[in-house]
Amino acid sequence: MSIPIKKIYVDGSVIEEPLTERVLENAPGIPEEIIDVEAFQERVADQLTLSQGKRVLFITGQKGDLVKPCPGTLAPYLCCRYTVINQIIQCPMDCTYCVLQEYLDSPVMILHTDMDDVFEDIDGLLASQPGRFFRFGTGELSDSLVLDHVTELTRDYARFFSEKRNALIEFKTKTNRVETLLAVSPKNIVVSWSVNPQPIIDTDEFFSARLEERLDAAGRCQDRGFLLGFHFDPILYTPDWEALYHPLIQQLFSRVDGSRIAWVSLGSLRYPPRLKEIVLKRFPRSRLFYEEMIRGMDGKMRYPKPMRVEMYRKIFGWLMEKAPDLFVYFCMESPDVWDRVMGTHPASNAELDFWFARSLHRRFPELELDSPNRASYTAS
Ligand code: SF4
């Protein structure tokens, strides 16, 4: 995969930061310009379309607030109490369904240089709830690995997390950019891939790696000792969805060992209503909205429940055939859907968080997690 960055702007106040120097060194030949934040906003960011902004990187500084709880969604849908690290914002790939099109104000990619602040915030959070196991991730407002060949941030995070207890970091991606990662310690790291059948990647996940490239990268990470994750999210309905998703699962398990998969998530297409107008303008040939959608209790559009349940049941069944011990969870689904597919549901977001810790503690002793105690989850 090749995604060109056309220009790098650097906020003058961070020009001497080590991360800035590293990025500029790793991006020879890309035009650079030093600029202040206001001028960048007016002269650059405000003038670019989203497609243009996705080819521009702005390196800047920001104090605090890069580490926060995943915004998730509203009850009754269940979320997993993940913690996101938003050091990079915006993504150079272009998925038709991407909610960042509606969610982010700025079209350009922004890299925050304040590593020390990020690490301080993480340490503060860990100290505030001893006994709770935390999952962090950098793949919420961008892709965790798509810029890693220039930022090499995975190296900094790997060093930091390898010394932590009761915490791990997930790098979530649709790329095969694992070169930096393959050289670091796999301790306390889960590398995860969002997957879809290749025909859907072709029509809806522009500039991302092909499925076989993603699975090959996953296999290489597993061979190196990393735990893996997979996200079937968003699952898209097409008339032939079964003929697409079943072979995908076969292909996945032909390349990776299910006993080394930390978790698998399932989530079907969902989006805030305002996204539709943006997608129809940017991707006029998209078939994303051809199916019937209902408005869920959190205000987001979703496939009707019987459709979601049917797809989840089949996909969950195919996963269980391959790896009966797999930890599978739903992202933003209702307790009723959990019950109809898995026969049970967590009583709360905190309970789901506890289920993660319990599964990881039981299946991966090398993580050296404290024995999870339900009280430390339900109380916090
Ligand atoms: S890879 Fe993720 S963040 Fe990037 S465009 Fe696709 S959905 Fe959005």
Side-chain angles (χ1 to χ4, degrees), residues 169-228:
I169 184 159
E170 178 184 28
F171 298 124
K172 197 190 307 184
T173 189
K174 286 192 180 112
T175 76
N176 56 350
R177 288 193 165 149
V178 293
E179 280 64 31
T180 307
L181 201 51
L182 288 173
V184 306
S185 158
K187 189 159 181 245
N188 294 337
I189 296 177
V190 172
V191 197
S192 71
W193 275 265
S194 301
V195 286
N196 251 319
Q198 188 58 45
I200 290 181
I201 294 175
D202 291 339
T203 54
D204 291 276
E205 298 181 355
F206 299 110
F207 305 106
S208 67
R210 296 179 56 75
L211 176 64
E212 64 187 41
E213 293 174 321
R214 295 182 206 181
L215 297 182
D216 181 62
R220 285 195 287 151
C221 284
Q222 192 169 62
D223 295 344
R224 175 77 180 81
F226 289 96
L227 292 178
L228 301 184

Short mmCIF file of all heavy atoms in Angstrom, two decimals, residues 169-228:
data_model
loop_
_atom_site.label_atom_id
_atom_site.label_comp_id
_atom_site.label_asym_id
_atom_site.label_seq_id
_atom_site.Cartn_x
_atom_site.Cartn_y
_atom_site.Cartn_z
N ILE A 169 -1.60 -2.13 25.54
CA ILE A 169 -1.98 -1.21 24.47
C ILE A 169 -2.34 -2.02 23.23
O ILE A 169 -1.68 -3.03 22.92
CB ILE A 169 -0.89 -0.18 24.17
CG1 ILE A 169 -1.38 0.81 23.12
CG2 ILE A 169 0.43 -0.83 23.72
CD1 ILE A 169 -0.63 2.13 23.09
N GLU A 170 -3.39 -1.58 22.57
CA GLU A 170 -3.81 -2.21 21.31
C GLU A 170 -3.46 -1.27 20.15
O GLU A 170 -3.81 -0.08 20.19
CB GLU A 170 -5.32 -2.45 21.32
CG GLU A 170 -5.83 -3.06 20.02
CD GLU A 170 -7.35 -3.23 19.97
OE1 GLU A 170 -8.07 -2.45 20.64
OE2 GLU A 170 -7.81 -4.13 19.25
N PHE A 171 -2.78 -1.80 19.15
CA PHE A 171 -2.56 -1.06 17.91
C PHE A 171 -3.53 -1.63 16.88
O PHE A 171 -3.39 -2.78 16.46
CB PHE A 171 -1.11 -1.22 17.42
CG PHE A 171 -0.09 -0.68 18.38
CD1 PHE A 171 0.93 -1.49 18.87
CD2 PHE A 171 -0.14 0.65 18.80
CE1 PHE A 171 1.88 -1.00 19.75
CE2 PHE A 171 0.82 1.15 19.69
CZ PHE A 171 1.82 0.33 20.16
N LYS A 172 -4.50 -0.81 16.48
CA LYS A 172 -5.56 -1.29 15.58
C LYS A 172 -5.34 -0.72 14.19
O LYS A 172 -5.12 0.49 14.05
CB LYS A 172 -6.91 -0.81 16.15
CG LYS A 172 -8.08 -1.55 15.57
CD LYS A 172 -9.41 -0.94 15.93
CE LYS A 172 -9.68 -0.69 17.39
NZ LYS A 172 -11.06 -0.18 17.61
N THR A 173 -5.42 -1.57 13.17
CA THR A 173 -5.02 -1.10 11.85
C THR A 173 -5.76 -1.77 10.70
O THR A 173 -6.35 -2.85 10.88
CB THR A 173 -3.49 -1.31 11.68
OG1 THR A 173 -3.06 -0.67 10.49
CG2 THR A 173 -3.12 -2.79 11.61
N LYS A 174 -5.70 -1.13 9.56
CA LYS A 174 -6.13 -1.76 8.29
C LYS A 174 -4.95 -1.79 7.33
O LYS A 174 -5.12 -1.82 6.13
CB LYS A 174 -7.26 -0.95 7.65
CG LYS A 174 -8.60 -1.09 8.33
CD LYS A 174 -9.70 -0.50 7.49
CE LYS A 174 -11.04 -0.66 8.18
NZ LYS A 174 -11.59 0.63 8.62
N THR A 175 -3.74 -1.73 7.88
CA THR A 175 -2.54 -1.69 7.03
C THR A 175 -1.73 -2.98 7.24
O THR A 175 -2.10 -3.85 8.02
CB THR A 175 -1.62 -0.51 7.41
OG1 THR A 175 -0.93 -0.84 8.62
CG2 THR A 175 -2.40 0.77 7.61
N ASN A 176 -0.58 -3.01 6.56
CA ASN A 176 0.38 -4.08 6.84
C ASN A 176 1.73 -3.45 7.26
O ASN A 176 2.77 -4.03 7.04
CB ASN A 176 0.57 -5.00 5.62
CG ASN A 176 0.99 -4.23 4.38
OD1 ASN A 176 0.98 -2.99 4.39
ND2 ASN A 176 1.36 -4.92 3.33
N ARG A 177 1.64 -2.25 7.85
CA ARG A 177 2.87 -1.54 8.22
C ARG A 177 3.35 -1.98 9.60
O ARG A 177 3.14 -1.28 10.60
CB ARG A 177 2.60 -0.03 8.19
CG ARG A 177 2.45 0.44 6.77
CD ARG A 177 2.51 1.93 6.63
NE ARG A 177 2.71 2.25 5.23
CZ ARG A 177 2.26 3.34 4.64
NH1 ARG A 177 1.58 4.24 5.34
NH2 ARG A 177 2.49 3.56 3.37
N VAL A 178 3.99 -3.12 9.65
CA VAL A 178 4.40 -3.67 10.95
C VAL A 178 5.91 -3.69 11.13
O VAL A 178 6.39 -4.26 12.11
CB VAL A 178 3.81 -5.10 11.14
CG1 VAL A 178 2.30 -5.04 11.26
CG2 VAL A 178 4.20 -6.02 10.01
N GLU A 179 6.65 -3.07 10.22
CA GLU A 179 8.12 -3.18 10.28
C GLU A 179 8.69 -2.66 11.60
O GLU A 179 9.51 -3.32 12.24
CB GLU A 179 8.79 -2.46 9.10
CG GLU A 179 8.78 -3.26 7.80
CD GLU A 179 7.36 -3.51 7.27
OE1 GLU A 179 6.50 -2.63 7.53
OE2 GLU A 179 7.12 -4.56 6.66
N THR A 180 8.26 -1.47 12.03
CA THR A 180 8.79 -0.91 13.28
C THR A 180 8.40 -1.82 14.45
O THR A 180 9.20 -2.16 15.32
CB THR A 180 8.24 0.50 13.53
OG1 THR A 180 8.49 1.28 12.37
CG2 THR A 180 8.87 1.16 14.73
N LEU A 181 7.16 -2.23 14.41
CA LEU A 181 6.60 -3.06 15.48
C LEU A 181 7.36 -4.39 15.63
O LEU A 181 7.60 -4.86 16.74
CB LEU A 181 5.14 -3.33 15.12
CG LEU A 181 4.18 -3.73 16.20
CD1 LEU A 181 4.25 -2.77 17.37
CD2 LEU A 181 2.77 -3.78 15.63
N LEU A 182 7.73 -4.97 14.50
CA LEU A 182 8.38 -6.28 14.56
C LEU A 182 9.73 -6.23 15.27
O LEU A 182 10.27 -7.27 15.65
CB LEU A 182 8.55 -6.85 13.14
CG LEU A 182 7.24 -7.32 12.48
CD1 LEU A 182 7.48 -7.71 11.03
CD2 LEU A 182 6.61 -8.47 13.25
N ALA A 183 10.25 -5.02 15.47
CA ALA A 183 11.55 -4.90 16.12
C ALA A 183 11.43 -4.59 17.62
O ALA A 183 12.44 -4.40 18.29
CB ALA A 183 12.37 -3.80 15.43
N VAL A 184 10.19 -4.51 18.14
CA VAL A 184 10.06 -4.14 19.56
C VAL A 184 9.60 -5.33 20.39
O VAL A 184 9.18 -6.36 19.84
CB VAL A 184 9.06 -2.96 19.76
CG1 VAL A 184 9.44 -1.78 18.90
CG2 VAL A 184 7.61 -3.40 19.51
N SER A 185 9.64 -5.16 21.71
CA SER A 185 9.17 -6.23 22.60
C SER A 185 7.65 -6.36 22.49
O SER A 185 6.94 -5.37 22.57
CB SER A 185 9.55 -5.90 24.04
OG SER A 185 8.71 -6.62 24.92
N PRO A 186 7.14 -7.59 22.34
CA PRO A 186 5.68 -7.75 22.22
C PRO A 186 4.93 -7.70 23.55
O PRO A 186 3.72 -7.83 23.58
CB PRO A 186 5.55 -9.14 21.58
CG PRO A 186 6.78 -9.88 21.94
CD PRO A 186 7.87 -8.86 22.15
N LYS A 187 5.67 -7.47 24.64
CA LYS A 187 5.03 -7.55 25.97
C LYS A 187 3.94 -6.48 26.13
O LYS A 187 4.15 -5.31 25.82
CB LYS A 187 6.12 -7.35 27.04
CG LYS A 187 5.59 -7.63 28.42
CD LYS A 187 6.68 -7.94 29.43
CE LYS A 187 6.04 -8.22 30.77
NZ LYS A 187 6.37 -7.25 31.78
N ASN A 188 2.80 -6.91 26.58
CA ASN A 188 1.66 -6.02 26.85
C ASN A 188 1.13 -5.29 25.61
O ASN A 188 0.64 -4.16 25.70
CB ASN A 188 2.00 -4.99 27.94
CG ASN A 188 2.23 -5.64 29.29
OD1 ASN A 188 1.73 -6.74 29.52
ND2 ASN A 188 2.97 -4.99 30.15
N ILE A 189 1.27 -5.94 24.45
CA ILE A 189 0.77 -5.34 23.21
C ILE A 189 -0.18 -6.32 22.52
O ILE A 189 0.12 -7.51 22.42
CB ILE A 189 1.93 -5.01 22.24
CG1 ILE A 189 2.84 -3.93 22.85
CG2 ILE A 189 1.39 -4.52 20.89
CD1 ILE A 189 4.05 -3.60 21.98
N VAL A 190 -1.29 -5.79 22.06
CA VAL A 190 -2.18 -6.55 21.16
C VAL A 190 -2.18 -5.79 19.84
O VAL A 190 -2.41 -4.57 19.81
CB VAL A 190 -3.62 -6.62 21.71
CG1 VAL A 190 -4.57 -7.23 20.69
CG2 VAL A 190 -3.65 -7.44 23.00
N VAL A 191 -1.86 -6.48 18.76
CA VAL A 191 -1.95 -5.86 17.43
C VAL A 191 -3.22 -6.39 16.79
O VAL A 191 -3.43 -7.60 16.74
CB VAL A 191 -0.75 -6.21 16.53
CG1 VAL A 191 -0.68 -5.23 15.36
CG2 VAL A 191 0.54 -6.22 17.29
N SER A 192 -4.06 -5.48 16.35
CA SER A 192 -5.35 -5.97 15.86
C SER A 192 -5.66 -5.42 14.47
O SER A 192 -5.20 -4.34 14.10
CB SER A 192 -6.45 -5.62 16.84
OG SER A 192 -6.69 -4.25 16.82
N TRP A 193 -6.41 -6.21 13.75
CA TRP A 193 -6.80 -5.81 12.40
C TRP A 193 -8.31 -5.72 12.28
O TRP A 193 -9.03 -6.60 12.77
CB TRP A 193 -6.27 -6.84 11.38
CG TRP A 193 -4.86 -6.52 10.99
CD1 TRP A 193 -4.47 -5.79 9.90
CD2 TRP A 193 -3.66 -6.85 11.69
NE1 TRP A 193 -3.10 -5.65 9.89
CE2 TRP A 193 -2.58 -6.30 10.97
CE3 TRP A 193 -3.39 -7.57 12.86
CZ2 TRP A 193 -1.26 -6.43 11.38
CZ3 TRP A 193 -2.08 -7.70 13.27
CH2 TRP A 193 -1.03 -7.14 12.55
N SER A 194 -8.76 -4.66 11.63
CA SER A 194 -10.16 -4.59 11.21
C SER A 194 -10.22 -5.34 9.90
O SER A 194 -9.41 -5.08 9.01
CB SER A 194 -10.59 -3.15 10.97
OG SER A 194 -10.41 -2.42 12.14
N VAL A 195 -11.16 -6.25 9.79
CA VAL A 195 -11.20 -7.07 8.57
C VAL A 195 -12.58 -7.02 7.92
O VAL A 195 -13.61 -6.87 8.59
CB VAL A 195 -10.82 -8.54 8.86
CG1 VAL A 195 -9.34 -8.68 9.09
CG2 VAL A 195 -11.60 -9.12 10.03
N ASN A 196 -12.55 -7.12 6.63
CA ASN A 196 -13.75 -7.25 5.81
C ASN A 196 -13.38 -8.08 4.60
O ASN A 196 -12.19 -8.18 4.25
CB ASN A 196 -14.27 -5.86 5.39
CG ASN A 196 -15.56 -5.51 6.12
OD1 ASN A 196 -16.44 -6.36 6.31
ND2 ASN A 196 -15.68 -4.26 6.55
N PRO A 197 -14.36 -8.69 3.96
CA PRO A 197 -14.04 -9.46 2.75
C PRO A 197 -13.44 -8.54 1.68
O PRO A 197 -13.79 -7.36 1.60
CB PRO A 197 -15.41 -9.99 2.30
CG PRO A 197 -16.29 -9.88 3.51
CD PRO A 197 -15.79 -8.73 4.30
N GLN A 198 -12.56 -9.11 0.84
CA GLN A 198 -11.86 -8.29 -0.16
C GLN A 198 -12.81 -7.48 -1.06
O GLN A 198 -12.53 -6.31 -1.33
CB GLN A 198 -10.92 -9.16 -1.00
CG GLN A 198 -10.01 -8.37 -1.94
CD GLN A 198 -9.12 -7.36 -1.21
OE1 GLN A 198 -8.52 -7.66 -0.19
NE2 GLN A 198 -9.08 -6.13 -1.73
N PRO A 199 -13.94 -8.05 -1.53
CA PRO A 199 -14.82 -7.22 -2.37
C PRO A 199 -15.32 -5.97 -1.64
O PRO A 199 -15.51 -4.92 -2.27
CB PRO A 199 -15.99 -8.16 -2.71
CG PRO A 199 -15.41 -9.54 -2.59
CD PRO A 199 -14.40 -9.46 -1.47
N ILE A 200 -15.48 -6.04 -0.33
CA ILE A 200 -15.91 -4.85 0.44
C ILE A 200 -14.73 -3.90 0.61
O ILE A 200 -14.86 -2.68 0.51
CB ILE A 200 -16.54 -5.26 1.79
CG1 ILE A 200 -17.89 -5.93 1.51
CG2 ILE A 200 -16.69 -4.06 2.72
CD1 ILE A 200 -18.65 -6.39 2.73
N ILE A 201 -13.54 -4.46 0.82
CA ILE A 201 -12.35 -3.60 0.90
C ILE A 201 -12.22 -2.82 -0.42
O ILE A 201 -11.96 -1.61 -0.43
CB ILE A 201 -11.08 -4.45 1.16
CG1 ILE A 201 -11.16 -5.08 2.55
CG2 ILE A 201 -9.80 -3.61 0.99
CD1 ILE A 201 -10.02 -6.04 2.89
N ASP A 202 -12.46 -3.50 -1.53
CA ASP A 202 -12.32 -2.84 -2.84
C ASP A 202 -13.28 -1.67 -3.02
O ASP A 202 -12.94 -0.67 -3.62
CB ASP A 202 -12.58 -3.85 -3.98
CG ASP A 202 -11.47 -4.90 -4.07
OD1 ASP A 202 -10.37 -4.65 -3.57
OD2 ASP A 202 -11.74 -5.98 -4.65
N THR A 203 -14.49 -1.82 -2.50
CA THR A 203 -15.49 -0.78 -2.76
C THR A 203 -15.62 0.24 -1.63
O THR A 203 -16.16 1.32 -1.84
CB THR A 203 -16.90 -1.40 -2.97
OG1 THR A 203 -17.19 -2.23 -1.83
CG2 THR A 203 -16.96 -2.23 -4.24
N ASP A 204 -15.15 -0.11 -0.42
CA ASP A 204 -15.44 0.76 0.72
C ASP A 204 -14.26 1.11 1.62
O ASP A 204 -14.44 1.83 2.59
CB ASP A 204 -16.53 0.10 1.59
CG ASP A 204 -17.87 0.08 0.89
OD1 ASP A 204 -18.59 1.08 0.96
OD2 ASP A 204 -18.19 -0.94 0.24
N GLU A 205 -13.08 0.58 1.34
CA GLU A 205 -11.94 0.87 2.24
C GLU A 205 -10.75 1.31 1.39
O GLU A 205 -9.76 0.58 1.24
CB GLU A 205 -11.61 -0.37 3.09
CG GLU A 205 -12.78 -0.76 4.01
CD GLU A 205 -12.52 -1.97 4.89
OE1 GLU A 205 -11.46 -2.62 4.77
OE2 GLU A 205 -13.39 -2.27 5.73
N PHE A 206 -10.85 2.50 0.83
CA PHE A 206 -9.84 2.96 -0.11
C PHE A 206 -8.50 3.24 0.58
O PHE A 206 -8.46 3.73 1.70
CB PHE A 206 -10.33 4.22 -0.84
CG PHE A 206 -11.59 3.94 -1.62
CD1 PHE A 206 -12.82 4.47 -1.22
CD2 PHE A 206 -11.57 3.11 -2.73
CE1 PHE A 206 -13.97 4.19 -1.92
CE2 PHE A 206 -12.72 2.83 -3.45
CZ PHE A 206 -13.94 3.36 -3.04
N PHE A 207 -7.43 2.90 -0.13
CA PHE A 207 -6.04 3.10 0.32
C PHE A 207 -5.62 2.17 1.46
O PHE A 207 -4.54 2.31 2.01
CB PHE A 207 -5.76 4.56 0.72
CG PHE A 207 -6.08 5.55 -0.35
CD1 PHE A 207 -7.20 6.36 -0.25
CD2 PHE A 207 -5.27 5.65 -1.48
CE1 PHE A 207 -7.52 7.27 -1.26
CE2 PHE A 207 -5.57 6.55 -2.49
CZ PHE A 207 -6.69 7.36 -2.39
N SER A 208 -6.49 1.24 1.85
CA SER A 208 -6.10 0.31 2.92
C SER A 208 -5.38 -0.90 2.30
O SER A 208 -5.39 -1.08 1.08
CB SER A 208 -7.34 -0.16 3.68
OG SER A 208 -8.14 -0.95 2.82
N ALA A 209 -4.79 -1.73 3.16
CA ALA A 209 -4.11 -2.94 2.66
C ALA A 209 -5.14 -3.99 2.26
O ALA A 209 -6.23 -4.05 2.84
CB ALA A 209 -3.18 -3.49 3.74
N ARG A 210 -4.77 -4.81 1.31
CA ARG A 210 -5.64 -5.92 0.91
C ARG A 210 -5.79 -6.89 2.09
O ARG A 210 -4.92 -6.97 2.96
CB ARG A 210 -5.02 -6.65 -0.28
CG ARG A 210 -4.92 -5.82 -1.55
CD ARG A 210 -4.28 -6.60 -2.67
NE ARG A 210 -4.98 -7.86 -2.96
CZ ARG A 210 -6.15 -7.94 -3.61
NH1 ARG A 210 -6.72 -6.85 -4.06
NH2 ARG A 210 -6.73 -9.11 -3.80
N LEU A 211 -6.86 -7.67 2.06
CA LEU A 211 -7.10 -8.62 3.16
C LEU A 211 -5.90 -9.54 3.36
O LEU A 211 -5.44 -9.76 4.48
CB LEU A 211 -8.37 -9.44 2.88
CG LEU A 211 -8.66 -10.51 3.92
CD1 LEU A 211 -8.93 -9.90 5.29
CD2 LEU A 211 -9.84 -11.38 3.47
N GLU A 212 -5.39 -10.10 2.25
CA GLU A 212 -4.29 -11.06 2.44
C GLU A 212 -3.04 -10.38 2.98
O GLU A 212 -2.27 -10.99 3.71
CB GLU A 212 -4.02 -11.86 1.17
CG GLU A 212 -3.54 -11.04 0.01
CD GLU A 212 -3.46 -11.89 -1.27
OE1 GLU A 212 -4.37 -12.70 -1.51
OE2 GLU A 212 -2.48 -11.71 -2.01
N GLU A 213 -2.85 -9.11 2.65
CA GLU A 213 -1.70 -8.38 3.22
C GLU A 213 -1.90 -8.17 4.73
O GLU A 213 -0.96 -8.28 5.52
CB GLU A 213 -1.55 -7.02 2.55
CG GLU A 213 -1.15 -7.08 1.08
CD GLU A 213 -1.15 -5.72 0.40
OE1 GLU A 213 -2.05 -4.89 0.67
OE2 GLU A 213 -0.25 -5.47 -0.40
N ARG A 214 -3.13 -7.87 5.13
CA ARG A 214 -3.41 -7.69 6.57
C ARG A 214 -3.17 -9.01 7.31
O ARG A 214 -2.54 -9.03 8.38
CB ARG A 214 -4.87 -7.25 6.78
CG ARG A 214 -5.18 -5.90 6.19
CD ARG A 214 -6.63 -5.50 6.49
NE ARG A 214 -7.11 -4.57 5.47
CZ ARG A 214 -8.31 -4.02 5.45
NH1 ARG A 214 -9.18 -4.28 6.41
NH2 ARG A 214 -8.67 -3.19 4.48
N LEU A 215 -3.67 -10.10 6.75
CA LEU A 215 -3.54 -11.39 7.44
C LEU A 215 -2.10 -11.86 7.47
O LEU A 215 -1.65 -12.46 8.44
CB LEU A 215 -4.46 -12.44 6.80
CG LEU A 215 -5.96 -12.12 6.88
CD1 LEU A 215 -6.77 -13.24 6.26
CD2 LEU A 215 -6.40 -11.88 8.33
N ASP A 216 -1.37 -11.53 6.40
CA ASP A 216 0.03 -11.90 6.38
C ASP A 216 0.79 -11.12 7.47
O ASP A 216 1.63 -11.67 8.20
CB ASP A 216 0.62 -11.61 4.99
CG ASP A 216 2.08 -12.00 4.94
OD1 ASP A 216 2.35 -13.20 5.12
OD2 ASP A 216 2.94 -11.11 4.78
N ALA A 217 0.47 -9.82 7.59
CA ALA A 217 1.11 -9.00 8.64
C ALA A 217 0.74 -9.54 10.02
O ALA A 217 1.57 -9.59 10.93
CB ALA A 217 0.69 -7.54 8.48
N ALA A 218 -0.53 -9.95 10.17
CA ALA A 218 -0.97 -10.51 11.46
C ALA A 218 -0.17 -11.78 11.78
O ALA A 218 0.29 -11.97 12.90
CB ALA A 218 -2.46 -10.81 11.41
N GLY A 219 0.00 -12.62 10.78
CA GLY A 219 0.77 -13.85 10.98
C GLY A 219 2.21 -13.55 11.39
O GLY A 219 2.76 -14.19 12.28
N ARG A 220 2.78 -12.54 10.75
CA ARG A 220 4.18 -12.19 11.10
C ARG A 220 4.25 -11.67 12.53
O ARG A 220 5.19 -11.97 13.28
CB ARG A 220 4.71 -11.15 10.11
CG ARG A 220 5.04 -11.78 8.75
CD ARG A 220 5.89 -10.86 7.91
NE ARG A 220 5.13 -9.73 7.42
CZ ARG A 220 5.65 -8.53 7.15
NH1 ARG A 220 6.92 -8.29 7.36
NH2 ARG A 220 4.89 -7.56 6.69
N CYS A 221 3.26 -10.88 12.93
CA CYS A 221 3.26 -10.37 14.32
C CYS A 221 3.07 -11.53 15.30
O CYS A 221 3.71 -11.56 16.36
CB CYS A 221 2.13 -9.34 14.50
SG CYS A 221 2.52 -7.76 13.76
N GLN A 222 2.20 -12.47 14.94
CA GLN A 222 1.99 -13.60 15.84
C GLN A 222 3.28 -14.43 15.96
O GLN A 222 3.67 -14.83 17.06
CB GLN A 222 0.86 -14.47 15.30
CG GLN A 222 0.40 -15.48 16.30
CD GLN A 222 -0.89 -16.15 15.85
OE1 GLN A 222 -0.94 -16.81 14.82
NE2 GLN A 222 -1.93 -15.98 16.63
N ASP A 223 3.95 -14.64 14.83
CA ASP A 223 5.22 -15.40 14.87
C ASP A 223 6.24 -14.71 15.77
O ASP A 223 7.09 -15.35 16.38
CB ASP A 223 5.82 -15.52 13.45
CG ASP A 223 4.92 -16.35 12.53
OD1 ASP A 223 4.03 -17.05 13.04
OD2 ASP A 223 5.10 -16.27 11.29
N ARG A 224 6.13 -13.39 15.87
CA ARG A 224 7.08 -12.61 16.67
C ARG A 224 6.69 -12.57 18.15
O ARG A 224 7.41 -12.05 18.99
CB ARG A 224 7.14 -11.19 16.08
CG ARG A 224 7.95 -10.17 16.80
CD ARG A 224 9.46 -10.35 16.55
NE ARG A 224 10.19 -9.32 17.28
CZ ARG A 224 10.51 -9.37 18.57
NH1 ARG A 224 10.18 -10.41 19.29
NH2 ARG A 224 11.17 -8.38 19.15
N GLY A 225 5.51 -13.14 18.47
CA GLY A 225 5.11 -13.23 19.88
C GLY A 225 4.01 -12.25 20.30
O GLY A 225 3.64 -12.21 21.48
N PHE A 226 3.49 -11.47 19.38
CA PHE A 226 2.42 -10.53 19.74
C PHE A 226 1.09 -11.26 19.88
O PHE A 226 0.81 -12.19 19.10
CB PHE A 226 2.25 -9.45 18.67
CG PHE A 226 3.37 -8.45 18.61
CD1 PHE A 226 4.40 -8.61 17.71
CD2 PHE A 226 3.38 -7.37 19.47
CE1 PHE A 226 5.45 -7.70 17.66
CE2 PHE A 226 4.43 -6.44 19.42
CZ PHE A 226 5.46 -6.61 18.52
N LEU A 227 0.28 -10.82 20.82
CA LEU A 227 -1.12 -11.25 20.84
C LEU A 227 -1.84 -10.48 19.74
O LEU A 227 -1.48 -9.34 19.43
CB LEU A 227 -1.76 -10.94 22.19
CG LEU A 227 -1.23 -11.74 23.37
CD1 LEU A 227 -1.91 -11.29 24.66
CD2 LEU A 227 -1.46 -13.24 23.14
N LEU A 228 -2.88 -11.10 19.19
CA LEU A 228 -3.61 -10.47 18.10
C LEU A 228 -5.04 -10.16 18.51
O LEU A 228 -5.59 -10.77 19.44
CB LEU A 228 -3.66 -11.39 16.88
CG LEU A 228 -2.35 -11.85 16.27
CD1 LEU A 228 -2.63 -12.69 15.02
CD2 LEU A 228 -1.45 -10.66 15.91
#
